[in-house]
């Protein structure tokens, strides 16, 4: 019995010593754990053979990333950096993982990107992502110098210019934004993103010219949900509702989560008193976005037209719970008898 106890103790001690070979905080997975796929288990075997090799944690982190297991990817990227803290690629990929999470950690991503750029000043991918992050945080003065620098890089010039367009658009400097777009389209007439951006700028001022740019975008990419939606919206503005409806349905087929296509299709159905269709479409919108107050209001209107005042009142109130100053819902609720 004492010998058996001693044997158990040795096995436990051996396992502890094995674990101690792993870096602190490392993700330890059994190579026989079938809850992970073959890609993960394959790299895990390599990690167990050599727990101090950073590249293997990096490779497994990439596998987790592409499976959208971002927390696990972050843990493995962090371990790879613990072993090789001066590797800019590992920091860049860790930053990407932080930004992909539902609750994106901008501060940590920013820290990793800045460090990656300090290690490798000509790291264009990291510079571009960092500028994009700064732009998302509306830090225009900090993002623009980086984007200007990237315009000298052939691989990033157009992408950097397009981000500058977004920045100027957000700052309501339409003239500068359009000037950059026109320059891009002169150099690259078939650039899809610049073509669509130009169409969006023209949407409120020249619908016919906007339609021409949207048609051009569809020639470049006939399956673009964005361009199909824009064309449908233009047709809706022209009161060509049957044609718009066809295109909105195509958008939804390509992208079932396209909330705006669902909503505008519901608006068209409401115009023709197809209240059941409105209720169905608004229900789909609310499945995608529970706090869509416009969908609540439109569905409430459809319920009211069908004589279901109780359901209408509930939807109007739900809309106002989300946006208390939404005038349409306030008006409908006030007039509900």
């Amino acid at each position: 019995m004492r010998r058996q106890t001693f044997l158990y103790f040795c096995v436990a001690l051996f396992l502890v010593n094995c674990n101690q070979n792993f870096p602190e905080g490392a993700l330890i997975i059994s190579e026989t754990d079938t809850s992970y796929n073959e890609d993960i288990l394959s790299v895990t075997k390599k990690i167990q053979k050599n727990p101090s090799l950073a590249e293997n944690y990096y490779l497994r982190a990439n596998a987790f990333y592409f499976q959208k297991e971002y927390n696990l990817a972050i843990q493995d990227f962090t371990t790879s950096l613990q072993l090789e803290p001066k590797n800019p690629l590992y920091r860049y990929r860790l930053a990407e993982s932080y930004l992909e999470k539902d609750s994106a950690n901008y501060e940590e991503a920013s820290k990793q990107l800045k460090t990656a750029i300090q290690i490798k000043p000509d790291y264009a991918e990291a510079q571009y992502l960092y500028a994009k992050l700064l732009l998302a945080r509306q830090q225009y003065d900090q993002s623009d110098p980086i984007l200007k620098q990237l315009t000298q890089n052939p691989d990033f010039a157009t992408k950097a210019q397009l981000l500058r367009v977004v920045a100027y658009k957000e700052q309501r400097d339409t003239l500068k934004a359009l000037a950059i777009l026109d320059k891009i389209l002169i150099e690259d007439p078939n650039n899809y993103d610049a073509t669509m951006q130009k169409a969006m700028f023209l949407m409120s001022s020249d619908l016919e010219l906007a339609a021409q740019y949207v048609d051009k975008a569809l020639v470049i990419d006939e399956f673009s949900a964005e361009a199909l939606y824009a064309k449908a919206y233009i047709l809706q503005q022209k009161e060509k509702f049957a044609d718009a409806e066809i295109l909105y349905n195509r958008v939804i087929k390509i992208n079932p989560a396209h909330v705006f296509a669902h909503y505008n299709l519901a608006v068209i159905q409401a115009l023709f008193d197809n209240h059941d269709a409105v209720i169905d479409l608004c229900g789909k919108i609310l499945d995608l976005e529970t706090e869509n107050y416009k969908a609540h209001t439109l569905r409430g209107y459809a319920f009211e037209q069908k004589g279901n005042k109780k359901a209408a009142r509930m939807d109007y109130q739900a809309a106002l719970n989300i946006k208390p100053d939404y005038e349409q819902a306030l008006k409908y609720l006030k007039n509900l008898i």
Side-chain angles (χ1 to χ4, degrees), residues 275 279 297-313 316 331-333 335-337:
H275 304 304
I279 292 167
T297 304
L298 186 55
R299 187 172 69 175
Y301 173 81
F303 277 130
E304 183 178 355
Q305 298 307 303
K306 286 174 63 68
N308 190 340
K309 294 182 180 181
K310 181 180 179 181
R313 183 175 285 104
Y316 295 150
K331 177 183 175 183
Y332 285 159
L333 187 58
N335 294 334
L336 190 65
I337 300 174

Side-chain angles (χ1 to χ4, degrees), residues 223-242:
F223 298 109
S224 166
E226 177 190 31
L228 285 167
Y229 172 80
K231 187 173 179 66
Y233 179 80
I234 290 170
L235 290 168
Q236 184 178 358
Q237 297 304 301
K238 293 181 176 181
E239 298 186 357
K240 295 183 178 180
F241 299 118

Side-chain angles (χ1 to χ4, degrees), residues 69-84:
E69 295 283 356
Y70 300 119
N71 286 328
L72 296 177
I74 287 168
Q75 190 171 353
D76 270 348
F77 280 133
T78 301
T79 302
S80 66
L81 275 170
Q82 186 179 338
L83 295 166
E84 286 187 24

Side-chain angles (χ1 to χ4, degrees), residues 135-154:
L135 181 56
R137 308 287 282 180
Q138 298 182 328
Q139 295 172 287
Y140 306 115
D141 292 341
Q142 295 179 52
S143 66
D144 197 55
I146 300 171
L147 293 172
K148 281 182 179 177
Q149 181 181 341
L150 285 171
T151 60
Q152 306 305 311
N153 185 317

Side-chain angles (χ1 to χ4, degrees), residues 259-279:
V259 169
F260 295 113
H262 279 101
Y263 182 78
N264 284 355
L265 191 55
V267 169
I268 292 173
Q269 298 303 319
L271 289 173
F272 294 94
D273 296 328
N274 296 325
H275 304 304
D276 288 330
V278 173
I279 292 167

Side-chain angles (χ1 to χ4, degrees), residues 83-123:
L83 295 166
E84 286 187 24
K86 292 188 177 181
N87 190 309
L89 174 60
Y90 296 174
R91 292 192 179 275
Y92 171 74
R93 295 291 288 129
L94 178 56
E96 282 190 314
S97 300
Y98 278 123
L99 293 175
E100 286 291 344
K101 290 179 62 179
D102 290 336
S103 54
N105 189 332
Y106 293 101
E107 290 74 18
E108 191 59 42
S110 175
K111 172 185 170 184
Q112 296 301 331
L113 289 169
K114 283 193 287 187
T115 306
I117 294 166
Q118 287 171 359
I119 296 168
K120 186 181 178 183
D122 62 346
Y123 196 174

Side-chain angles (χ1 to χ4, degrees), residues 94-226:
L94 178 56
E96 282 190 314
S97 300
Y98 278 123
L99 293 175
E100 286 291 344
K101 290 179 62 179
D102 290 336
S103 54
N105 189 332
Y106 293 101
E107 290 74 18
E108 191 59 42
S110 175
K111 172 185 170 184
Q112 296 301 331
L113 289 169
K114 283 193 287 187
T115 306
I117 294 166
Q118 287 171 359
I119 296 168
K120 186 181 178 183
D122 62 346
Y123 196 174
E125 288 85 352
Q127 291 173 331
Y128 179 75
L129 185 57
Y130 184 47
K132 199 172 180 180
L133 174 58
L134 291 170
L135 181 56
R137 308 287 282 180
Q138 298 182 328
Q139 295 172 287
Y140 306 115
D141 292 341
Q142 295 179 52
S143 66
D144 197 55
I146 300 171
L147 293 172
K148 281 182 179 177
Q149 181 181 341
L150 285 171
T151 60
Q152 306 305 311
N153 185 317
D155 294 329
F156 285 87
T158 300
K159 293 197 291 185
Q161 290 285 45
L162 285 167
L163 277 188
R164 294 186 74 208
V165 169
V166 173
Y168 284 129
K169 187 176 180 181
E170 289 182 1
Q171 295 173 85
R172 302 181 184 277
D173 195 335
T174 304
L175 290 177
K176 285 185 179 178
L178 284 172
I180 294 173
L181 279 177
D182 289 338
K183 182 181 177 183
I184 294 171
L185 289 170
I186 288 170
E187 295 173 356
D188 182 8
N190 292 321
N191 186 287
Y192 169 82
D193 292 316
T195 301
M196 279 304 301
Q197 287 273 11
K198 181 81 173 186
M200 293 301 102
F201 270 109
L202 292 166
M203 200 71 78
S204 60
S205 59
D206 191 335
L207 208 58
E208 292 300 328
L209 189 54
Q212 292 178 32
Y213 276 96
V214 170
D215 286 339
K216 181 182 174 183
L218 284 168
V219 170
I220 299 168
D221 182 359
E222 64 179 308
F223 298 109
S224 166
E226 177 190 31

